[in-house]
Amino acid sequence: MICLACGTMPERLTEMLMDTWTPLIILWITVLPSIYMAPMNQSQVLPSGSSMELNGLSEEQRVLNRSKRGWVWNQMFVLEEFSGPEPILVGRLHTDLDPGSSKIKYILSGDGAGTIFVINDKTGDIHAMKRLDREEKAEYTLTAQAVDRDTNKPLEPPSEFIIKVQDINDNAPEFVDGPYHATVPEMSVVGTFVTKVTATDADDPVYGNSAKLVYSILEGQPYFSIEPHTAIIKTALPNMDREAKEEYFVVIQAKDMGGHMGGLSGTTTVTITLTDVNDNPPKFAQSLYHFSVMEDVALGEPVGRVKANDLDIGENAKSSYDIIEGDGMDIFEITSDSQSQDGIIRVRKPLDFETKKSYTLKVEAANIYIDPRFISGGPFKDTATVKIVVEDADEPPVFSSPTYLLEVHENAAINSVIGQVTAHDPDVSSSPIRFSIDRHTDLERQFNINAEDGKITLATPLDRETNMWHNITIIATETRNHSQVSRVPVAIKVLDVNDNAPEFASEHEAFLCENGKPGQIIQIVSAVDKDDPKNGHFFLYSLLPEMVNNPNFTIKKNEDNTLSILAKHSGFSRQKQEVYLLPIIISDSGNPPMSSTSTLTIRVCGCSSDGVVQSCNVEAYVLPIGLSMGALIAILACIILLLVIVVLFVTLRRHKNEPLIIKDDEDVRENIIRYDDEGGGEEDTEAFDIATLQNPDGINGFLPRKDIKPDLQFMPRQGLAPVPNGVDVDEFINVRLHEADNDPTAPPYDSIQIYGYEGRGSVAGSLSSLESSTSDSDQNFDYLSEWGPRFKRLGELYSVGESDKET
């Protein structure tokens, strides 16, 4: 039978505990039996053929090879953080195959073998060489085997065992998420939840009390409390006021070992902020406010600001303002500034210093949002008195009416008074007023105004039919302060008078059928009148006195203010009289009545049996039977067209017969002057006057240069005498060449000197086309047609000329 021993481990552990920490004696008494005695008590001889012995064998080997148990082993334990002068003995392995002859060698492999754990290969003692930390690694799995020392052959199969690191309280609690921040409403009741904190301990939570935590408050009492085991923080005092203290700093401690003496602890901080609730009413900084405002201030302009302070913040501090009493409730209004929470008093209606000089208002400020939990602490509002003094300002003149409407007859006399405008200075000083017309509204200057009393007079005649309305602007200006100006619109309506006679609405021309019947209506005419009487138009029609007994026509007044023209008899004939003129007098009903005479033209026409007009011309009687005027016109147009065609044809024929080549005496293609005499050649100096080569300006010997401006002026040199006509041209040119070479005003660059002399005995001959030996007949002008469309016509002319010459 083999047993496992742990050497002197209990004595060493007791010594270590006594030397390091006396309180651990209690831990030794309670823990040591589980560390040491349990493995010893649990060690037992396993039955022969156990699974430990037969590990890795086949079923056949299990039947045939039933070897005797060789190892006795169990779990081993080692205390963490143990440090001593020598390695700690963890345990001892032994096999009953060992006769004590030192022929068996023990081998250890697995986690930490050879580094953390070392085995004595002769005795089987296992030692821990390093300080162990359970929080880093809680257990180690190792494999042990016994082999022959000489042959290294295994004597028994390898077996696994575990070395567990026994925990001690070597880790303090930690608040991983700290520091904390929490909020709770002010004025909360006792026990209101604030927040929850959590601490962690790296020690073994299932072994002992090393990880059993208890929470407590080190700082922050008596305002807050914490549950020892749940770590829930709650309020401990009622009615904590944010306006008194807004932020609290709380220190929380977590201690292991169930909070007993000797336990390790950790702390964290919790910053608790009281959030605002509406528990304070608004309060005006002063009970009475004084403001002053000019009477001419624009509507909507601010007069002043009032402020109701609220100790709350955010939405709880917002207040609305209202005017609840006062003699200016309809004159002023108050609004809230969303940014500054001020009450802005503005002008709602115009002010007048002369009417009322001061106002007194009672203003109220009330919270917009009210918390029903604190409504009993109200009211959440406050009031203040506001006095506003109106100051006098120099105001512009005020017209007696905002607009004026005047009426005038169109036949009103010049300088007659149309109407009057009045204005006054509302100030106490009451400055005199001067009136004028804004000429931009009266460009034609039809009206004038008296600057003193504002009477408007007529400057030019009016015509209602041209312009019925005139809109002008009157300006009132203070004489003491010309910057104070007021304007008022004046509408002038021109009234009608009967000054226009009625007339025909349009130029009428009536048609009378030759086969018409007596009493037949020839035409219905209407009249118009530019005037506009109040009761409407009513026209009277009549014939001229000398036409009353007209045997041909008569008139009849209709109820719709029109006139019907009727024929008195039948049998009208175009051959006798084609056109009749009927003067008609048209009168209106005005006072005095106006009348005019209009003449109606009545034309006799040929009509069909049903009265449709066919022809009104007398020429129809002279036409051949069966030939109308339209047919005659068509025939005449055809004749004229034929004549035009014949004239064009003759003209084109005559133009085509003209020769395309101009005769020699009419040839203007070249500017050539022909002479009948011939010269004597280039050496003939008798027929040419040499004086033409002499510049008249150079007779005195000085010829100024034209191409440059000389820097220096030289005195003209004595020129040579005029060359007689008999002098050789060559000598003349040489003289001029010498003068040009010695000219001090000559340019410093090469210049071209042009001479009319070609020299003597030229072997090249003359280049002039005038003396060409070839004639026109020898030249071919066909190349002109190859130069493009611009030279096409020229080529045709020369081609035709050549053909004519050959002909």
Side-chain angles (χ1 to χ4, degrees), residues 226-245:
I226 188 170
E227 291 288 339
H229 300 289
T230 61
I232 296 177
I233 302 175
K234 300 179 180 180
T235 58
L237 279 181
N239 301 328
M240 286 188 291
D241 192 0
R242 185 199 66 83
E243 289 74 29
K245 185 177 181 180

Side-chain angles (χ1 to χ4, degrees), residues 265-323:
S265 64
T267 60
T268 187
T269 59
V270 182
T271 303
I272 302 176
T273 303
L274 298 182
T275 57
D276 184 61
V277 297
N278 190 11
D279 58 338
N280 294 280
K283 186 69 175 177
F284 281 104
Q286 56 195 72
S287 59
L288 180 62
Y289 292 86
H290 293 275
F291 299 109
S292 61
V293 60
M294 299 297 293
E295 63 173 332
D296 60 349
V297 66
L299 299 182
E301 286 295 317
V303 176
R305 288 173 176 256
V306 296
K307 179 65 177 291
N309 298 315
D310 196 322
L311 297 179
D312 297 322
I313 59 175
E315 297 292 329
N316 298 320
K318 290 186 176 180
S319 299
S320 62
Y321 296 87
D322 195 11
I323 300 175

Side-chain angles (χ1 to χ4, degrees), residues 238-254:
N239 301 328
M240 286 188 291
D241 192 0
R242 185 199 66 83
E243 289 74 29
K245 185 177 181 180
E246 183 177 4
E247 191 174 81
Y248 294 85
F249 190 76
V250 179
V251 178
I252 304 297
Q253 174 185 266

